[in-house]
Amino acid sequence: MDTNELELKVKKVYSHKFKNISRRVVNALQRAEIDLNELTVDEIRTLTTSLVEVETQSLQNEVENLLAQKENIERALEKKADELQEAKYEIFNVLEEDIKPNEDVLIALHHIKLQSIDLYDILSEMVESTIITALEKEQESDIDESLKEVIKEITFEAIKEGSLNTIRVRKILSTILATAIDVAEATPTKADSILRLTLKGMRGGLVKSIDRFKQRVAYMPIEAKHILIEDYDTIIEDLNQTDTLFSQIILTQASESSQLLRKMLIEINKDMHYDLEELVLISKETADVIRSRFSNFAKGAVKRADVAMQSPKAKEAKRMGAQAMEAARIVLGSAIKSAKDVIEKKEK
């Protein structure tokens, strides 16, 4: 039978009057008078494709509609998030204009602003502005510890509210350091001071973020524990290598910098290697707190996973995996046999 003809035949007799999918498929085969055992591989492929297409068409349409809605919602969310940021900026700008003469109040306002604005979008600009301001003040004296403290607060505020996973933390720290490197490139005489103070600030901000996370874990209510349990192993693993992560970020940025700054960053990394004890200690303490509070929950999660693996969906996935392996074994066996036949013919 021609495959196009078979496809039209299946779609013509298919009926949705039965509630059960199995019954609908069986009914279609019976009405089309199709015997699966008599079909070729191509006909089987055409038959199954046709049955899947006609049976799932409405669901496919629903999925496509939902995906379209999802894209629209994501665009709307992005737009509203930008509007929210702009509204915050506008409020703080108005307040800053009104209290300019009062330096103490202005400093307090800037601190509140730091906690209120979504920092990641403007992280690079904030760091650049901070370093340049420090350089301008340095005309009167050397760059002091204030740069380190400001970088520490920026790092802390950028990290603290989100996940502590390696990818996110690496992205934040890399952005801060890359910006400092750009400014250092433009002011080579102050490059070493800029990089050392920035890295010390980053380290301090990371330590402060992890310490805050430890405190939250220690007093986290039972209802919220699932937030961490879902990512239990990853968090423990990440906490066990924060010092390595910190050094990797420095060396990665060094490899992308000029020869002068590369040498400086490698030297600073060696010097700071012995100053990472506080970071290692707070990371270890946090990992221990997580283990002590959530180990039983983690065991429970494993038990739940074992139960889940016995579900119909999991069994079907396992069955399909076995079938795929068997099909691959047959194909591979045939290929090996064919190759041997060719070799044997050549030897004769």
Side-chain angles (χ1 to χ4, degrees):
M1 186 187 301
D2 179 77
T3 53
N4 290 331
E5 182 183 344
L6 177 61
E7 182 180 356
L8 291 171
K9 188 175 183 181
V10 170
K11 290 182 177 180
K12 185 176 180 180
V13 301
Y14 200 89
S15 172
H16 284 82
K17 68 178 182 179
F18 298 102
K19 290 184 178 180
N20 187 279
I21 292 179
S22 301
R23 191 69 193 91
R24 289 198 292 268
V25 173
V26 170
N27 179 65
L29 294 175
Q30 290 174 346
R31 292 182 64 192
E33 298 180 348
I34 295 174
D35 185 349
L36 295 177
N37 296 312
E38 295 180 358
L39 298 182
T40 65
V41 173
D42 285 340
E43 288 172 340
I44 285 286
R45 183 178 293 108
T46 299
L47 174 66
T48 53
T49 302
S50 301
L51 286 170
V52 169
E53 182 183 340
V54 71
E55 174 60 45
T56 63
Q57 186 61 55
S58 61
L59 288 173
Q60 183 65 37
N61 291 339
E62 288 179 25
V63 169
E64 290 175 2
N65 288 335
L66 288 171
L67 284 173
Q69 291 177 38
K70 177 174 176 277
E71 290 177 5
N72 290 333
I73 290 171
E74 286 176 346
R75 281 196 294 269
L77 280 172
E78 186 176 348
K79 183 179 178 182
K80 290 299 178 185
D82 289 341
E83 289 178 7
L84 177 60
Q85 283 283 82
E86 290 299 324
K88 289 179 180 179
Y89 293 147
E90 192 169 341
I91 292 168
F92 281 102
N93 288 340
V94 170
L95 295 175
E96 285 170 11
E97 287 296 322
D98 278 355
I99 59 175
K100 264 186 177 178
N102 192 327
E103 190 68 23
D104 291 337
V105 177
L106 194 59
I107 290 171
L109 182 66
H110 287 166
H111 187 71
I112 297 167
K113 182 178 181 180
L114 199 63
Q115 296 173 321
S116 304
I117 301 290
D118 182 2
L119 293 188
Y120 192 76
D121 288 343
I122 56 169
L123 190 55
S124 182
E125 290 80 0
M126 282 192 68
V127 173
E128 181 179 345
S129 175
T130 297
I131 298 173
I132 290 174
T133 300
L135 287 171
E136 289 172 349
K137 288 184 176 180
E138 176 268 338
Q139 291 175 359
E140 302 168 7
S141 60
D142 289 339
I143 303 177
D144 58 22
E145 293 291 302
S146 62
L147 174 58
K148 183 187 80 173
E149 291 303 315
V150 175
I151 295 295
K152 175 182 174 180
E153 286 306 309
I154 290 174
T155 303
F156 171 65
E157 294 295 341
I159 293 175
K160 72 170 188 177
E161 293 302 340
S163 168
L164 267 182
N165 74 72
T166 300
I167 294 174
R168 180 174 176 273
V169 172
R170 182 189 295 274
K171 194 173 180 182
I172 290 170
L173 296 181
S174 296
T175 299
I176 294 171
L177 181 54
T179 305
I181 290 171
D182 287 342
V183 180
E185 291 274 15
T187 51
T189 57
K190 299 296 178 183
D192 189 78
S193 295
I194 291 170
L195 296 176
R196 285 184 185 276
L197 290 170
T198 298
L199 284 167
K200 286 180 180 179
M202 286 165 53
R203 182 193 60 199
L206 181 57
V207 168
K208 189 175 178 181
S209 300
I210 295 172
D211 187 47
R212 179 178 185 272
F213 183 75
K214 184 185 77 171
Q215 302 302 324
R216 291 177 68 192
V217 169
Y219 299 103
M220 183 176 283
I222 292 175
E223 294 79 11
K225 285 184 179 178
H226 69 279
I227 297 170
L228 284 181
I229 290 299
E230 290 177 2
D231 207 18
Y232 180 87
D233 291 332
T234 302
I235 289 175
I236 295 294
E237 183 180 349
D238 290 347
L239 286 168
N240 284 331
Q241 56 184 9
T242 49
D243 57 327
T244 303
L245 167 67
F246 197 84
S247 293
Q248 283 178 347
I249 290 168
I250 298 174
L251 295 176
T252 299
Q253 292 298 324
S255 67
E256 299 171 1
S257 303
S258 66
Q259 187 174 351
L260 175 65
L261 264 64
R262 184 184 306 123
K263 186 177 178 181
M264 283 184 187
L265 285 164
I266 291 172
E267 192 63 35
I268 294 170
N269 183 54
K270 287 180 182 176
D271 294 343
M272 289 191 70
H273 182 71
Y274 302 102
D275 285 336
L276 294 177
E277 290 183 6
E278 185 182 11
L279 179 59
V280 173
L281 180 61
I282 193 65
S283 298
K284 183 180 180 301
E285 288 177 355
T286 305
D288 289 343
V289 170
I290 293 174
R291 286 193 191 96
S292 64
R293 292 215 68 195
F294 298 132
S295 57
N296 291 333
F297 284 83
K299 291 174 185 176
V302 171
K303 289 180 181 178
R304 290 192 294 275
D306 289 339
V307 173
M309 286 304 292
Q310 302 305 316
S311 69
K313 187 179 289 187
K315 288 180 180 178
E316 177 62 12
K318 189 175 181 180
R319 186 172 68 85
M320 287 182 67
Q323 290 171 350
M325 286 296 292
E326 180 63 14
R329 186 185 65 77
I330 293 170
V331 171
L332 183 60
S334 299
I336 292 171
K337 185 177 183 301
S338 299
K340 284 182 177 178
D341 290 343
V342 171
I343 292 169
E344 287 171 2
K345 286 179 182 177
K346 284 185 178 179
E347 290 176 344
K348 290 178 181 179

Tab-separated table of all heavy atoms in Angstrom, residues 264-292:
chain	number	residue	atom	x	y	z
A	264	MET	N	50.324	41.169	37.309
A	264	MET	CA	49.839	41.690	38.591
A	264	MET	C	48.810	40.754	39.212
A	264	MET	O	48.868	40.439	40.410
A	264	MET	CB	49.193	43.064	38.386
A	264	MET	CG	50.160	44.200	38.205
A	264	MET	SD	49.241	45.764	38.099
A	264	MET	CE	50.580	46.892	37.671
A	265	LEU	N	47.847	40.311	38.412
A	265	LEU	CA	46.758	39.470	38.922
A	265	LEU	C	47.274	38.117	39.407
A	265	LEU	O	46.805	37.595	40.432
A	265	LEU	CB	45.692	39.275	37.832
A	265	LEU	CG	44.799	40.491	37.574
A	265	LEU	CD1	44.062	40.341	36.246
A	265	LEU	CD2	43.808	40.692	38.708
A	266	ILE	N	48.232	37.552	38.690
A	266	ILE	CA	48.811	36.274	39.111
A	266	ILE	C	49.534	36.445	40.450
A	266	ILE	O	49.435	35.596	41.344
A	266	ILE	CB	49.776	35.725	38.028
A	266	ILE	CG1	48.968	35.296	36.794
A	266	ILE	CG2	50.586	34.550	38.560
A	266	ILE	CD1	49.812	34.919	35.597
A	267	GLU	N	50.241	37.553	40.586
A	267	GLU	CA	50.961	37.842	41.833
A	267	GLU	C	49.976	38.069	42.994
A	267	GLU	O	50.168	37.551	44.106
A	267	GLU	CB	51.834	39.080	41.647
A	267	GLU	CG	52.837	39.314	42.764
A	267	GLU	CD	53.869	38.207	42.886
A	267	GLU	OE1	54.273	37.639	41.851
A	267	GLU	OE2	54.253	37.903	44.033
A	268	ILE	N	48.922	38.843	42.721
A	268	ILE	CA	47.901	39.103	43.758
A	268	ILE	C	47.221	37.805	44.164
A	268	ILE	O	46.944	37.576	45.347
A	268	ILE	CB	46.860	40.125	43.247
A	268	ILE	CG1	47.514	41.492	43.037
A	268	ILE	CG2	45.706	40.255	44.243
A	268	ILE	CD1	46.623	42.490	42.297
A	269	ASN	N	46.941	36.945	43.195
A	269	ASN	CA	46.300	35.666	43.481
A	269	ASN	C	47.168	34.820	44.415
A	269	ASN	O	46.659	34.180	45.347
A	269	ASN	CB	46.039	34.902	42.189
A	269	ASN	CG	45.298	33.596	42.426
A	269	ASN	OD1	44.244	33.566	43.041
A	269	ASN	ND2	45.876	32.494	41.955
A	270	LYS	N	48.490	34.832	44.185
A	270	LYS	CA	49.408	34.095	45.058
A	270	LYS	C	49.373	34.676	46.475
A	270	LYS	O	49.333	33.946	47.459
A	270	LYS	CB	50.835	34.174	44.509
A	270	LYS	CG	51.077	33.326	43.276
A	270	LYS	CD	52.521	33.476	42.797
A	270	LYS	CE	52.764	32.673	41.529
A	270	LYS	NZ	54.146	32.880	41.003
A	271	ASP	N	49.386	35.998	46.548
A	271	ASP	CA	49.363	36.655	47.865
A	271	ASP	C	48.061	36.368	48.611
A	271	ASP	O	48.060	36.152	49.832
A	271	ASP	CB	49.531	38.176	47.696
A	271	ASP	CG	50.908	38.541	47.154
A	271	ASP	OD1	51.811	37.687	47.208
A	271	ASP	OD2	51.056	39.676	46.662
A	272	MET	N	46.945	36.382	47.873
A	272	MET	CA	45.634	36.208	48.507
A	272	MET	C	45.352	34.756	48.859
A	272	MET	O	44.461	34.464	49.658
A	272	MET	CB	44.517	36.729	47.585
A	272	MET	CG	44.482	38.232	47.456
A	272	MET	SD	42.983	38.811	46.631
A	272	MET	CE	41.740	38.460	47.856
A	273	HIS	N	46.101	33.856	48.253
A	273	HIS	CA	45.886	32.429	48.512
A	273	HIS	C	45.964	32.123	50.002
A	273	HIS	O	45.252	31.253	50.515
A	273	HIS	CB	46.916	31.599	47.743
A	273	HIS	CG	46.736	30.120	47.908
A	273	HIS	ND1	45.685	29.432	47.334
A	273	HIS	CD2	47.448	29.198	48.612
A	273	HIS	CE1	45.759	28.145	47.656
A	273	HIS	NE2	46.826	27.982	48.432
A	274	TYR	N	46.821	32.843	50.696
A	274	TYR	CA	46.995	32.619	52.133
A	274	TYR	C	45.994	33.438	52.961
A	274	TYR	O	45.940	33.302	54.175
A	274	TYR	CB	48.424	32.989	52.537
A	274	TYR	CG	49.468	32.217	51.773
A	274	TYR	CD1	50.161	32.808	50.725
A	274	TYR	CD2	49.738	30.884	52.078
A	274	TYR	CE1	51.119	32.084	50.002
A	274	TYR	CE2	50.683	30.152	51.371
A	274	TYR	CZ	51.367	30.762	50.323
A	274	TYR	OH	52.297	30.044	49.611
A	275	ASP	N	45.224	34.280	52.274
A	275	ASP	CA	44.250	35.125	52.973
A	275	ASP	C	42.813	34.614	52.813
A	275	ASP	O	41.865	35.302	53.156
A	275	ASP	CB	44.305	36.563	52.434
A	275	ASP	CG	45.531	37.301	52.949
A	275	ASP	OD1	46.032	36.904	54.005
A	275	ASP	OD2	45.967	38.252	52.289
A	276	LEU	N	42.677	33.414	52.257
A	276	LEU	CA	41.334	32.886	51.992
A	276	LEU	C	40.826	31.978	53.105
A	276	LEU	O	39.810	31.321	52.958
A	276	LEU	CB	41.324	32.127	50.658
A	276	LEU	CG	41.567	32.981	49.400
A	276	LEU	CD1	41.602	32.094	48.156
A	276	LEU	CD2	40.488	34.049	49.247
A	277	GLU	N	41.541	31.952	54.244
A	277	GLU	CA	41.143	31.070	55.350
A	277	GLU	C	39.741	31.400	55.853
A	277	GLU	O	38.953	30.506	56.166
A	277	GLU	CB	42.147	31.177	56.503
A	277	GLU	CG	43.502	30.563	56.187
A	277	GLU	CD	44.444	30.628	57.364
A	277	GLU	OE1	44.003	31.049	58.457
A	277	GLU	OE2	45.621	30.264	57.196
A	278	GLU	N	39.444	32.697	55.955
A	278	GLU	CA	38.127	33.112	56.446
A	278	GLU	C	37.031	32.620	55.507
A	278	GLU	O	35.971	32.148	55.950
A	278	GLU	CB	38.062	34.638	56.561
A	278	GLU	CG	36.763	35.136	57.192
A	278	GLU	CD	36.681	36.654	57.255
A	278	GLU	OE1	37.530	37.329	56.632
A	278	GLU	OE2	35.759	37.150	57.927
A	279	LEU	N	37.284	32.703	54.194
A	279	LEU	CA	36.313	32.245	53.199
A	279	LEU	C	36.110	30.733	53.301
A	279	LEU	O	34.974	30.245	53.274
A	279	LEU	CB	36.801	32.624	51.796
A	279	LEU	CG	35.916	32.198	50.611
A	279	LEU	CD1	34.529	32.806	50.735
A	279	LEU	CD2	36.565	32.615	49.288
A	280	VAL	N	37.218	30.001	53.421
A	280	VAL	CA	37.141	28.539	53.554
A	280	VAL	C	36.389	28.156	54.820
A	280	VAL	O	35.530	27.261	54.814
A	280	VAL	CB	38.561	27.921	53.574
A	280	VAL	CG1	38.489	26.425	53.880
A	280	VAL	CG2	39.256	28.154	52.235
A	281	LEU	N	36.688	28.854	55.925
A	281	LEU	CA	36.068	28.538	57.221
A	281	LEU	C	34.560	28.774	57.205
A	281	LEU	O	33.784	27.907	57.616
A	281	LEU	CB	36.717	29.381	58.323
A	281	LEU	CG	36.172	29.164	59.743
A	281	LEU	CD1	36.394	27.726	60.182
A	281	LEU	CD2	36.833	30.132	60.734
A	282	ILE	N	34.125	29.947	56.708
A	282	ILE	CA	32.696	30.259	56.708
A	282	ILE	C	31.936	29.332	55.751
A	282	ILE	O	30.795	28.941	56.017
A	282	ILE	CB	32.447	31.752	56.342
A	282	ILE	CG1	30.996	32.140	56.656
A	282	ILE	CG2	32.734	32.028	54.876
A	282	ILE	CD1	30.645	32.099	58.115
A	283	SER	N	32.590	28.938	54.667
A	283	SER	CA	31.964	28.010	53.716
A	283	SER	C	31.773	26.643	54.351
A	283	SER	O	30.724	26.005	54.210
A	283	SER	CB	32.820	27.892	52.453
A	283	SER	OG	32.940	29.134	51.798
A	284	LYS	N	32.818	26.185	55.065
A	284	LYS	CA	32.744	24.883	55.746
A	284	LYS	C	31.661	24.902	56.828
A	284	LYS	O	30.880	23.949	56.950
A	284	LYS	CB	34.102	24.540	56.370
A	284	LYS	CG	34.155	23.177	57.047
A	284	LYS	CD	35.529	22.920	57.638
A	284	LYS	CE	35.584	21.548	58.308
A	284	LYS	NZ	34.606	21.393	59.396
A	285	GLU	N	31.621	25.973	57.601
A	285	GLU	CA	30.604	26.088	58.657
A	285	GLU	C	29.195	26.051	58.070
A	285	GLU	O	28.298	25.411	58.625
A	285	GLU	CB	30.812	27.392	59.432
A	285	GLU	CG	32.031	27.392	60.340
A	285	GLU	CD	32.235	28.737	61.020
A	285	GLU	OE1	31.471	29.688	60.702
A	285	GLU	OE2	33.143	28.850	61.868
A	286	THR	N	29.008	26.759	56.955
A	286	THR	CA	27.688	26.797	56.315
A	286	THR	C	27.290	25.423	55.797
A	286	THR	O	26.143	24.987	55.950
A	286	THR	CB	27.697	27.813	55.148
A	286	THR	OG1	28.120	29.085	55.642
A	286	THR	CG2	26.311	27.946	54.532
A	287	ALA	N	28.251	24.722	55.170
A	287	ALA	CA	27.979	23.366	54.674
A	287	ALA	C	27.606	22.439	55.833
A	287	ALA	O	26.686	21.619	55.712
A	287	ALA	CB	29.201	22.829	53.929
A	288	ASP	N	28.301	22.583	56.980
A	288	ASP	CA	28.004	21.748	58.156
A	288	ASP	C	26.603	22.029	58.705
A	288	ASP	O	25.890	21.109	59.111
A	288	ASP	CB	29.046	22.007	59.258
A	288	ASP	CG	30.415	21.437	58.907
A	288	ASP	OD1	30.479	20.584	58.008
A	288	ASP	OD2	31.410	21.866	59.537
A	289	VAL	N	26.212	23.316	58.709
A	289	VAL	CA	24.875	23.686	59.176
A	289	VAL	C	23.810	23.069	58.269
A	289	VAL	O	22.796	22.526	58.741
A	289	VAL	CB	24.707	25.226	59.209
A	289	VAL	CG1	23.241	25.597	59.452
A	289	VAL	CG2	25.576	25.838	60.298
A	290	ILE	N	24.042	23.135	56.960
A	290	ILE	CA	23.080	22.554	56.006
A	290	ILE	C	22.968	21.051	56.224
A	290	ILE	O	21.869	20.493	56.265
A	290	ILE	CB	23.509	22.852	54.557
A	290	ILE	CG1	23.401	24.350	54.267
A	290	ILE	CG2	22.647	22.077	53.558
A	290	ILE	CD1	23.948	24.753	52.908
A	291	ARG	N	24.127	20.380	56.388
A	291	ARG	CA	24.103	18.926	56.604
A	291	ARG	C	23.350	18.561	57.879
A	291	ARG	O	22.522	17.648	57.887
A	291	ARG	CB	25.534	18.388	56.697
A	291	ARG	CG	26.272	18.327	55.363
A	291	ARG	CD	27.546	17.501	55.500
A	291	ARG	NE	28.380	17.649	54.321
A	291	ARG	CZ	29.384	18.508	54.227
A	291	ARG	NH1	29.667	19.309	55.243
A	291	ARG	NH2	30.101	18.581	53.127
A	292	SER	N	23.636	19.282	58.960
A	292	SER	CA	23.018	18.957	60.244
A	292	SER	C	21.512	19.200	60.230
A	292	SER	O	20.758	18.462	60.857
A	292	SER	CB	23.662	19.773	61.367
A	292	SER	OG	23.417	21.156	61.187
